[in-house]
């Protein structure tokens, strides 16, 4: 018998009848070692023009095996159980067909925290971490000016995250400011259910009030009360209270942060298929040009910020020119722009006079 390397011993020959799975391998080709499976996954994703194909194959293999990176690279010869291998190759086939890796693994890291993601929410992006940085810097500066320690717990602060999606901005800030109180709004109830689960996952559900709202104006005054310790299920959250944003004690915020939808519909054809075909269009498109929502967002923010309150907005790659003039000097001061790592003006911040 021919002397074959061990990783191929377990790989059975494809049947002649063409029983082929979507990765292009025979359905019976499901038992192999870690290195072989990884290489086959990489090859299939490269062939399908998947961006960052090696990383995607690695994340999907880790997910299918329920292992971490250290284990993966320490056990290249380990034979993968048939069920795990089949699950992995099914994931590779779905990724090759365009589904985002994060929809297949159900998670994405943001600000060092792991967030649940589903097709109902935007996958948190690394550039949005600049919103967190700018918000924390501006709050620290405010403390400094008031003669208080720069590193505050956020005690007494009311903070809003408009278009909260997965809840990543509100939750990241809630972890940094353990005594602050938060409101996360979204027009999508399905997104709010994911945000609520993420708040529970990160042990901050009692400090974040999720509200179904058109920007800052609640839709029918519906409001999801914080539910300390209660794990929400995947059903849309129930409406339980009148929104505090419209109540007589309407909070005036110390900080409003937002990453609104800012892609232009006319840009849709040039978007990656992972984005255009799989992420929610309510999270992507701000209008025909993309920057249409900012005018209302800035007007409403001016009404809901305390004097000296801070507004922090994420910008689209071409939004600055249209958005910065909306911060007129009669209402706003200390306007600043922060570039992302690619040099694109990404965050616009200002203080309410
Ligand atoms: C670009 S995503 C941002 C999600 C999340 N904050 C993040 O940074 O990953 C925009 C979010 O705004 C929500 N949205 C769109 N239009 C809205 C509106 N008029 N009022 C409130 N939320 C809206 C979308 O449903 C989506 O969750």
């Amino acid at each position: 018998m021919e002397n074959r390397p061990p990783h191929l011993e377990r790989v059975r020959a494809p049947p002649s009848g063409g029983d082929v799975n979507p990765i292009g391998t025979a359905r019976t080709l499901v038992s192999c070692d870690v290195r072989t499976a990884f290489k086959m996954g990489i090859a299939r994703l490269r062939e399908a023009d998947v961006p960052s194909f090696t990383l995607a194959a690695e994340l999907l293999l880790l997910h299918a095996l329920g292992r971490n990176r250290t284990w993966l690279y320490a056990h290249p010869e380990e034979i993968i159980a048939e069920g795990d291998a089949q699950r992995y190759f099914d994931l590779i086939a779905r990724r090759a067909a365009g589904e985002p890796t994060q929809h297949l693994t159900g998670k994405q890291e943001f600000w060092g925290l792991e967030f649940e993601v589903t097709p109902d929410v935007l996958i948190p992006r690394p550039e949005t971490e600049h919103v967190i940085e700018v918000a924390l810097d501006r709050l620290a500066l405010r403390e400094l000016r008031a003669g208080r320690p720069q590193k505050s717990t956020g005690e007494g602060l009311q903070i809003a995250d408009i278009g909260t999606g997965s809840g990543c901005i509100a939750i990241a800030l809630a972890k940094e400011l353990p005594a602050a109180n938060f409101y996360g709004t979204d027009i999508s109830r399905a997104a709010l259910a994911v945000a609520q689960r993420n708040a529970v996952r990160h042990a901050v559900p009692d400090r974040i009030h999720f509200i179904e709202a058109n920007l800052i104006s609640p839709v029918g005054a519906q409001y999801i009360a914080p539910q300390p310790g209660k794990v929400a299920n995947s059903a849309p959250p129930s409406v339980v209270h009148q929104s505090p944003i419209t109540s007589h004690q309407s909070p005036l915020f110390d900080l409003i942060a937002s990453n609104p939808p800012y892609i232009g519909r006319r840009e849709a054809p040039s978007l990656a298929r992972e984005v255009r075909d799989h992420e929610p269009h309510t999270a992507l498109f701000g209008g025909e040009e993309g920057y249409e929502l900012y005018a209302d967002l800035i007007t409403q923010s001016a009404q809901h910020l305390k004097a000296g309150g801070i507004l922090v907005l994420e910008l689209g790659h071409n939004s600055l020119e249209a958005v910065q003039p909306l911060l007129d000097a009669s209402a706003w001061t200390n306007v600043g722009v922060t570039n992302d790592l690619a040099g694109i003006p990404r965050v616009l911040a200002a203080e309410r006079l």
Side-chain angles (χ1 to χ4, degrees), residues 110 120-125 128 161-169 185-188 191 213-216 258-262 280 282-285 293 314:
F110 177 84
D120 290 322
V121 297
L122 189 88
I123 298 165
R125 303 296 206 270
T128 302
D161 169 18
I162 308 306
T164 195
S166 63
C168 63
I169 292 176
T185 77
D186 208 289
I187 206 159
S188 158
N214 183 355
L215 301 177
I216 314 182
S258 182
N259 172 19
Y262 54 58
T282 42
L284 297 176
F285 300 116
L293 275 178
E314 182 166 329

Side-chain angles (χ1 to χ4, degrees), residues 312-350:
V312 182
L313 299 174
E314 182 166 329
L315 298 173
H317 68 95
N318 57 356
S319 309
L320 183 66
E321 213 176 292
V323 180
Q324 189 163 4
L326 301 172
L327 294 169
D328 67 274
S330 65
W332 302 97
T333 183
N334 287 335
V335 176
V337 178
T338 305
N339 288 356
D340 65 17
L341 298 178
I344 296 167
R346 187 57 70 189
V347 179
L348 182 62

Side-chain angles (χ1 to χ4, degrees), residues 55-56 59-60 63 95 98-109 115-119 121-126 274 279:
L55 178 63
L59 291 172
L60 295 177
H63 182 66
R95 183 67 194 90
E99 281 185 64
T101 304
Q102 294 88 340
H103 286 180
L104 300 172
T105 61
K107 60 194 180 192
Q108 171 63 36
E109 193 180 300
F115 285 86
E116 174 190 342
V117 292
T118 74
V121 297
L122 189 88
I123 298 165
R125 303 296 206 270
E274 285 82 357
E279 296 204 73

Side-chain angles (χ1 to χ4, degrees), residues 254-270:
D254 297 278
L255 168 72
I256 294 179
S258 182
N259 172 19
Y262 54 58
I263 300 174
R265 282 198 182 276
R266 61 202 194 93
E267 292 177 71
S270 62

